[in-house]
Amino acid sequence: MIRLTIDGEPIEVQEGRTLLEACREHDIPIPTLCYHPALKPYGACRLCVVELDHPSGSSKLVASCVHPCEEGAVVRTNSEAVKRNRRVTAELLLAGAFDAPEIVALAKGLGVEEPRFRMEESESCVLCGLCVRACDEIVGVRAISLIHRGMAKKVATPFEISSATCIGCGTCVLICPTGRLKLSDVTGYRGVHPWDNTFHRLYCRVCDDEDLRETRLQEATDLIADMEASE
Amino acid sequence: MQVSISEIHEIINKEASGDGSLIAALEEIQARYRYLPPEALILASERLGVPLSQTYAVATFYGAFSLEPKGKICIQVCMGTACHVRGSPQLLDRLETQLGIKAGETTRDQLVSLERVNCLGACALGPIVVTDGDYSGQMTLSKVDRLLKSIAKSEAEA
């Protein structure tokens, strides 16, 4: 066990936990955007910053989602520096995604109503990387990635054409906090916007899932055959 | 330039040993074809076991890689602060007018690509124009004209 102090309270956590996990375990609220319990921490949104005191008397802001708990650490989650930093971060996020309810609510919770900045051509994407990481870590197909860099950076499929590996599961759409990705359902087809992939819908008799993809049918049939053979 | 699948295969196979060989392989292909053909990205992904989305992300991230065919000769104009105040915007302007392309583009005959770079670390020589790795310092409009003439001449001879 590791002992540390968070907001003046002595706390014990298991080794290997991050500061954010320790705080969540002890019901200390920390706002997050790019963090998802099912995914590896990414440290992109910087909303989860906390102040870490150094024995020399100085302190620094660290992203709690990626910072490990260390023995004897003194952490403040709600100091003025932390609050100020989070407010600016929220303003910047809001500048690019002012029409995304989840971002607006997050900013409001931090005391930001109207951002000082506004991006002219906003596509609402805040580059949190949730969709890309979910496609990799949860679905395992890695159909999308963050391409280009700087201002041109965006989420896209290779060559920005419909992807050959996308299975149309819609996980990227479900996990997106800004609504930039939309699942547009067309009768008989399922399109995952904006990858331009459309899939024929098939009906699965086992799980009642309407969204079985055509190419998945063979995989499922093979899987069942394998299972029966091994029995 | 004709893209040869077997040649790309050869390059990738040469680089395929060990981790982190993706960038090395892409660099080789970029050096050979002066750009990364889509086929090369797909082959590299398959051979090196890197998802295509990842390969595409790497290829678009680095300025050293281009997905568009580049010209035979690459002219880079430094737009760093020192070169900027010494008049490099006028040099770039002249090059753009003379070549009939904007920075980042390639002439239609695939001869010259024009690029703006941010700092070459030789500010004392500014304004700098680099032609295929050759640094020319203290550039002036007339020197730029001479450079373009010599390129046209050597191309006519070749």
Side-chain angles (χ1 to χ4, degrees), chain A residues 132 141-150 153 156-160 165, chain B residues 37-39 41-42 51-54 56-58 60-64 67:
Chain A
V132 172
V141 300
R142 302 182 77 167
I144 48 175
S145 59
L146 286 161
I147 65 161
H148 298 294
R149 62 174 160 165
K153 193 170 176 176
T157 53
F159 307 109
E160 299 185 57
T165 45
Chain B
E39 297 91 330
L41 296 186
I42 294 165
L52 184 58
S53 60
Q54 192 60 33
Y56 192 72
V58 169
T60 54
F61 183 89
Y62 293 104
L67 297 179

Side-chain angles (χ1 to χ4, degrees), chain B residues 26-136:
Chain B
L26 295 184
E27 274 180 336
E28 280 278 311
I29 296 161
Q30 170 82 35
R32 172 68 185 79
Y33 293 105
R34 298 198 300 269
Y35 81 113
L36 298 175
E39 297 91 330
L41 296 186
I42 294 165
L43 288 172
S45 285
E46 283 174 358
R47 179 68 182 82
L48 303 173
V50 180
L52 184 58
S53 60
Q54 192 60 33
T55 308
Y56 192 72
V58 169
T60 54
F61 183 89
Y62 293 104
F65 296 134
S66 167
L67 297 179
E68 303 284 325
K70 285 273 176 206
K72 211 162 118 188
I73 295 159
C74 180
I75 300 181
Q76 294 168 314
V77 184
C78 183
M79 286 287 148
T81 314
C83 290
H84 195 278
V85 297
R86 291 182 189 184
S88 63
Q90 285 89 324
L91 299 179
L92 184 66
D93 197 50
R94 175 66 66 97
L95 283 163
E96 285 182 338
T97 339
Q98 295 285 337
L99 294 166
I101 51 171
K102 289 258 170 229
E105 293 176 351
T106 302
T107 53
R108 198 175 292 179
D109 58 3
Q110 299 285 306
L111 180 62
V112 181
S113 287
L114 187 60
E115 276 172 20
R116 47 191 306 160
V117 290
N118 287 328
C119 184
L120 294 158
C123 306
L125 296 177
I128 300 176
V129 173
V130 183
T131 317
D132 274 348
D134 266 348
Y135 283 56
S136 317

Side-chain angles (χ1 to χ4, degrees), chain A residues 142-174:
Chain A
R142 302 182 77 167
I144 48 175
S145 59
L146 286 161
I147 65 161
H148 298 294
R149 62 174 160 165
M151 292 299 286
K153 193 170 176 176
K154 62 175 175 179
V155 178
T157 53
F159 307 109
E160 299 185 57
I161 52 173
S162 66
S163 158
T165 45
C166 175
I167 58 167
C169 65
T171 307
C172 53
V173 178
L174 286 174

Side-chain angles (χ1 to χ4, degrees), chain A residues 101-151:
Chain A
E102 199 171 317
I103 307 289
V104 172
L106 198 59
K108 215 172 194 173
L110 294 166
V112 179
E113 297 278 345
E114 190 61 34
R116 280 172 289 171
F117 334 100
R118 187 162 279 204
M119 263 163 80
E120 300 214 336
E121 278 172 51
S122 165
E123 283 194 323
S124 288
C125 178
V126 291
L127 301 172
C128 64
L130 279 171
C131 52
V132 172
R133 288 178 291 140
C135 190
D136 172 15
E137 295 174 36
I138 298 175
V139 191
V141 300
R142 302 182 77 167
I144 48 175
S145 59
L146 286 161
I147 65 161
H148 298 294
R149 62 174 160 165
M151 292 299 286

